[in-house]
Amino acid sequence: MKRNAAIGLFDSGVGGLSVAVEVYRQLPAESTVYFGDTAHVPYGPRSAGELTRFTKKITDFLQGQGVKYIIAACNTSSSISLPVLRERCKVPMIGLIEPGVAEALGKTVNGRIGVIATEATIRSGAYEQGLKKLGRDIEVYSRAAPRLVPLVEAGRTDTYQVTGALREYLFPLQEAGIDTLILGCTHYPFLARQIAEELGPGVRLVDPASATVRAAKEELCRLDLAISGIRPISHCFYVSSRPDAFRAAAGRFLKKDIGPVRQIDL
Ligand code: DGL
């Protein structure tokens, strides 16, 4: 595998950009290829069969682009299709669940951990199982938050719909006395300020992205695939639908124009 090849990332839409920014921050010498499956967003209500079918095509596409490593920048795919994808991928691949679990266990003091995520991620039980397996005396309070992804995709983050949805989803977790909340969907870090305001200072937020990219960096170094130093890099973006909407939303979240976004039908 070529060390100067890019790192691939994928998600259903703009959510995975919250992971991409961590890659830009922690691995500034690496090029990236990002795929947003905007023809199929949201992934949350999809079946395991559909998710595996979509993400097989995406990971094949990324490998066709010559990537040396893949980050599943999507909790739904990480919790449902990662084992199948890992088995058939020729390049190493990481998901968000295990790093997110480790980070949350390191942060909680009272052992009460909340998880908000898509319906599919919550149904999979991936976070709950991981937290209970690795932590001692951990109580997990999980809540699907399906209204948030469409609002983030539409860039409607500072709206009464977001406030209303957050109140509804977070209230039972507050009542349960959580001191740590896992943002178990990569779209949610774009609502971190609103979530923090809703929960107040007593609850720590865990965005699994930074721990995941840290783990990816360690793995790249171990495999002698990491690059350092100053060199020309590129960040390419592909989507399966509406490239202009993706570029506009990405520009708002990253506070810069990401350049051309290409549409690919997989
Ligand atoms: N951002 C993805 C995740 O982390 C998918 C959200 C969706 O499309 O429902 O789960």
Side-chain angles (χ1 to χ4, degrees), residues 10-12 37 43 46-59 70 72-89 93-97 120-121 124 126:
F10 71 90
D11 180 43
S12 60
D37 194 8
Y43 272 5
R46 303 252 177 207
S47 68
E50 280 178 304
L51 290 165
T52 304
R53 186 154 50 81
F54 299 154
T55 51
K56 271 182 181 172
K57 287 188 183 170
I58 296 169
T59 46
I70 296 178
C74 170
N75 291 265
T76 309
S77 314
S78 301
S79 57
I80 310 255
S81 32
L82 193 62
V84 180
L85 298 175
R86 267 192 179 140
E87 215 163 90
R88 63 197 298 284
C89 271
M93 197 167 159
I94 193 168
L96 295 149
I97 311 295
T121 301
S124 78

Side-chain angles (χ1 to χ4, degrees), residues 18-253:
S18 64
V19 183
V21 292
E22 273 300 316
V23 174
Y24 307 154
R25 196 175 66 81
Q26 295 189 41
L27 294 163
E30 303 284 355
S31 293
T32 62
V33 180
Y34 184 99
F35 189 90
D37 194 8
T38 46
H40 298 120
V41 66
Y43 272 5
R46 303 252 177 207
S47 68
E50 280 178 304
L51 290 165
T52 304
R53 186 154 50 81
F54 299 154
T55 51
K56 271 182 181 172
K57 287 188 183 170
I58 296 169
T59 46
D60 285 351
F61 168 74
L62 290 172
Q63 288 184 95
Q65 295 295 303
V67 301
K68 62 181 174 185
Y69 191 84
I70 296 178
I71 302 179
C74 170
N75 291 265
T76 309
S77 314
S78 301
S79 57
I80 310 255
S81 32
L82 193 62
V84 180
L85 298 175
R86 267 192 179 140
E87 215 163 90
R88 63 197 298 284
C89 271
K90 291 184 183 62
V91 298
M93 197 167 159
I94 193 168
L96 295 149
I97 311 295
E98 284 163 31
V101 161
E103 179 99 354
L105 290 173
K107 280 198 170 159
T108 187
V109 175
N110 73 5
R112 290 165 181 258
I113 300 177
V115 182
I116 52 170
T118 66
E119 305 96 300
T121 301
I122 297 296
R123 220 181 312 119
S124 78
Y127 273 113
E128 183 151 2
Q129 285 157 22
L131 289 163
K132 291 200 163 151
K133 193 169 148 201
L134 295 181
R136 270 226 246 128
D137 299 327
I138 296 294
E139 305 267 7
V140 184
Y141 301 89
S142 303
R143 185 80 207 227
R147 301 214 299 278
L148 300 180
V149 167
L151 288 165
V152 172
E153 281 292 317
R156 304 180 61 203
T157 50
D158 280 302
T159 58
Y160 70 91
Q161 285 100 331
V162 164
T163 314
L166 288 179
R167 263 189 203 149
E168 179 189 321
Y169 298 141
L170 298 176
F171 182 69
L173 306 181
Q174 280 174 298
E175 287 287 283
I178 60 161
D179 72 350
T180 304
L181 177 70
I182 298 179
L183 305 181
C185 169
T186 52
H187 284 73
Y188 303 167
F190 296 124
L191 299 171
R193 175 179 48 80
Q194 293 87 329
I195 293 170
E197 275 167 19
E198 204 51 47
L199 290 174
V203 179
R204 298 172 190 87
L205 301 188
V206 172
D207 171 1
S210 62
T212 302
V213 175
R214 224 166 28 243
K217 187 175 177 175
E218 278 165 22
E219 194 172 7
L220 285 166
C221 290
R222 204 171 49 245
L223 299 171
D224 198 20
L225 285 175
I227 318 175
S228 54
I230 299 166
R231 54 189 288 278
I233 55 165
S234 67
H235 298 304
C236 301
F237 298 89
Y238 295 89
V239 291
S240 47
S241 167
R242 293 173 289 114
D244 295 342
F246 183 92
R247 184 172 176 173
R252 275 194 301 274
F253 291 130

